[in-house]
């Protein structure tokens, strides 16, 4: 799946330049025009990297960055801060708020892309071998293994991705469209009902005869990982 970059910038011409260059370089791009929209967007789908303008309406880039770092869901998402300010004190303030890197406007697309690549490389290579756990369910992302109550659960690649999405945020209800986006990627067109088929398979593998159903169907809304007590 293409790495997802969230661009937070209120200046439409710069947004277009960034979107064009990032998409050409193989990234999937979403855009937020102000800080509040950025925080909302991150809550819906955690991006692989955020390009964050310092000067934004409503919330400043610095404040957005601080809030991202306070939320356990987004605290590890790399942030590149964009700013017109080249002062050393401002640079340090940006980094102190939790930004991973800093690009001063005006910059060339090539320069920004180089930073994007470097930051993404750092964040993926330093990521720990992550294990996701919910109740008696364990998913070892590095080894691509799932177990429940000590019993190995064998999942197909699609069910594995689906479970990973659910396991990252237990209790949260995902709509079918969100699951399609997160587990398949936005560019794939599938009937939302396809999700139901994969959820059924996932349940079958996950839930042993004497075990409770870990997946909750929320009528009219979607699915969540929820043991229901
Ligand atoms: Ca701006």
């Amino acid at each position: 799946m293409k790495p997802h970059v969230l661009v937070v910038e209120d200046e439409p011409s710069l947004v277009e330049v960034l979107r064009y260059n990032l998409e050409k370089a193989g990234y999937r791009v979403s855009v937020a025009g102000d800080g509040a929209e950025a925080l909302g967007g991150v809550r819906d789908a955690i991006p692989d990297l955020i390009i964050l303008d310092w000067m934004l309406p409503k919330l400043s880039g610095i404040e957005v960055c601080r809030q991202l770092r306070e939320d356990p869901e987004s605290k590890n998402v790399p942030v590149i801060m964009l700013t017109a300010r080249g002062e050393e004190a401002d640079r340090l303030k940006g980094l102190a708020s939790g930004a991973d890197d800093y690009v001063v406007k005006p910059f060339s697309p090539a320069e920004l892309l180089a930073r994007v690549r470097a930051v993404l490389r750092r964040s993926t290579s330093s990521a720990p071998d992550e294990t996701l756990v919910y109740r008696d369910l364990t998913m070892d992302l590095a080894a691509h293994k799932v177990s429940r109550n000590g019993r190995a659960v064998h999942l197909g690649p699609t069910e594995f991705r689906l479970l990973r999405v659910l396991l990252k945020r237990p209790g949260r209800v995902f709509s079918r469209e969100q699951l399609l986006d997160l587990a398949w990627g936005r560019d794939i067109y599938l009937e939302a009902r396809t999700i139901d088929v994969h959820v059924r398979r996932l349940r079958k593998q996950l839930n042993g005869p004497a075990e409770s159903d870990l997946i909750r169907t929320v009528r009219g809304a979607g699915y969540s990982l929820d043991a229901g007590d």
Side-chain angles (χ1 to χ4, degrees):
M1 222 199 317
K2 293 176 178 180
H4 172 201
V5 177
L6 172 64
V7 172
V8 189
E9 166 63 80
D10 57 316
E11 199 183 305
S13 57
L14 184 53
V15 167
E16 282 324 300
V17 170
L18 290 171
R19 184 200 285 281
Y20 173 80
N21 284 284
L22 286 162
E23 285 181 348
K24 208 171 69 168
Y27 299 100
R28 184 160 68 78
V29 177
S30 59
V31 174
D34 65 54
E37 200 188 324
L39 292 170
V42 170
R43 269 192 293 273
D44 284 345
I46 305 281
D48 297 297
L49 177 118
I50 301 171
I51 296 176
L52 178 62
D53 189 31
W54 178 307
M55 301 293 276
L56 290 169
K58 300 176 199 168
L59 287 177
S60 74
I62 293 276
E63 187 49 38
V64 171
C65 196
R66 252 185 226 124
Q67 294 197 23
L68 289 171
R69 291 301 177 242
E70 277 166 13
D71 184 338
E73 288 296 327
S74 57
K75 74 174 180 351
N76 293 321
V77 178
V79 172
I80 297 178
M81 194 88 95
L82 297 183
T83 180
R85 306 169 190 223
E87 302 283 327
E88 182 72 1
D90 286 339
R91 196 179 75 84
L92 293 175
K93 201 170 155 195
L95 295 176
S97 74
D100 296 86
D101 206 346
Y102 190 92
V103 179
V104 178
K105 291 179 186 175
F107 52 83
S108 71
E111 181 191 352
L112 182 74
L113 285 173
R115 301 289 189 92
V116 165
R117 271 186 223 107
V119 167
L120 277 175
R121 203 180 311 123
R122 273 207 308 270
S123 84
T124 47
S125 61
S126 67
D129 292 343
E130 206 180 343
T131 301
L132 302 172
V133 178
Y134 177 70
R135 304 293 175 97
D136 53 2
L137 186 63
T138 303
M139 177 179 249
D140 181 337
L141 293 177
H144 230 262
K145 282 183 178 161
V146 178
S147 66
R148 182 165 184 195
N149 211 358
R151 161 181 65 86
V153 174
H154 301 287
L155 298 178
T158 303
E159 285 72 36
F160 187 89
R161 289 199 305 272
L162 198 54
L163 181 61
R164 182 176 58 195
V165 170
L166 294 169
L167 249 176
K168 285 207 166 175
R169 306 194 69 176
R172 170 180 165 157
V173 179
F174 291 91
S175 69
R176 290 176 176 81
E177 289 71 23
Q178 284 170 329
L179 290 173
L180 277 174
D181 251 20
L182 295 167
W184 277 263
R186 227 173 272 255
D187 303 332
I188 306 284
Y189 178 79
L190 284 174
E191 292 268 340
R193 290 286 145 201
T194 308
I195 288 282
D196 300 343
V197 174
H198 288 285
V199 168
R200 209 175 304 138
R201 282 189 205 153
L202 181 56
R203 275 198 169 114
K204 208 172 150 200
Q205 296 303 317
L206 224 47
N207 303 327
E211 289 166 341
S212 59
D213 188 357
L214 290 179
I215 298 175
R216 184 161 71 103
T217 306
V218 184
R219 286 188 74 174
Y223 295 102
S224 76
L225 192 69
D226 189 341
D229 46 31

